[in-house]
Amino acid sequence: MPFKVLPPVIAGLLLAGCAGMTAPPAHESAPPPPRVESRAECGAAQVQDRVGREYSEALGESIRAESGAAAMRVIRPGDAVTLDYRPDRLNVRLDDDDVISEIDCG
């Protein structure tokens, strides 16, 4: 007689254990970092006249020197870049023809 009661009890315990399980929360990606429009820290305001010119290494060096930025990076279309914001870093963004499209801090 006890063996007839055992299977329903085991099945009930298994179902009770599963009832408390929930799906893990969905993974959400981190929001993009805020874009701060401060041009004073990297010196982008001093070199805005270079926007629209074709980029060269010599022009890049003069932009970095005149801006006084601690660091500079040239960003071409499709380049992978970090999303960390550094107010002392000058970003020189180029288009497909290596023409400077934007100069900003970050």
Side-chain angles (χ1 to χ4, degrees):
M1 181 89 168
F3 293 111
K4 289 185 175 183
V5 177
L6 194 56
V9 171
I10 292 174
L13 290 174
L14 288 174
L15 289 174
C18 292
M21 296 176 59
T22 60
H27 176 70
E28 296 180 23
S29 61
R35 188 166 176 143
V36 180
E37 294 298 326
S38 172
R39 297 181 183 254
E41 295 183 51
C42 71
Q46 291 95 304
V47 292
Q48 289 301 308
D49 61 326
R50 304 322 199 292
V51 173
R53 292 179 58 184
E54 187 171 343
Y55 181 80
S56 67
E57 291 299 320
L59 179 60
E61 187 53 41
S62 72
I63 289 171
R64 198 212 56 74
E66 188 175 330
S67 69
M72 184 181 92
R73 65 180 172 179
V74 177
I75 305 170
R76 291 180 168 83
D79 281 357
V81 294
T82 61
L83 296 178
D84 64 321
Y85 180 77
R86 291 184 44 198
D88 63 335
R89 179 174 54 203
L90 188 69
N91 292 319
V92 179
R93 299 176 193 277
L94 307 180
D95 65 11
D96 289 325
D97 300 319
D98 272 359
V99 173
I100 300 172
S101 60
E102 184 181 354
I103 299 175
D104 61 359
C105 298

